[in-house]
Amino acid sequence: MLFTDVIRAKRDGGRLSDAEIRFLVDGLADESLPAEQVSALAMAVFLNGMSFDEAATLTLAMANSGSVLD
């Protein structure tokens, strides 16, 4: 998967899939995504918003991206 495709999908008003959101979070966690591309996605999200399902998937993926305390 190319991150530019994820950016393009959101820029064009599309809905991000669960896999695309997990790809974003994994890239943020392991620092494999360039800051410029993450910024471009952030701007696309700001301009086009996220659905409740997208936000829920993002929240859960971020919560499970590192060590989780009981």
Side-chain angles (χ1 to χ4, degrees), residues 25-51:
V25 172
D26 291 344
L28 290 171
D30 67 13
E31 299 180 6
S32 64
L33 295 176
E36 301 83 14
Q37 290 186 348
V38 174
S39 297
L41 180 63
M43 183 170 48
V45 169
F46 177 76
L47 294 173
N48 295 311
M50 291 185 102
S51 70

Side-chain angles (χ1 to χ4, degrees), residues 6-7 9-10 14-18 20-21 41 45 50 54:
V6 176
I7 297 167
K10 186 43 86 175
R15 182 190 176 282
L16 298 180
S17 69
D18 291 351
E20 290 170 328
I21 292 171
L41 180 63
V45 169
M50 291 185 102
E54 286 175 308

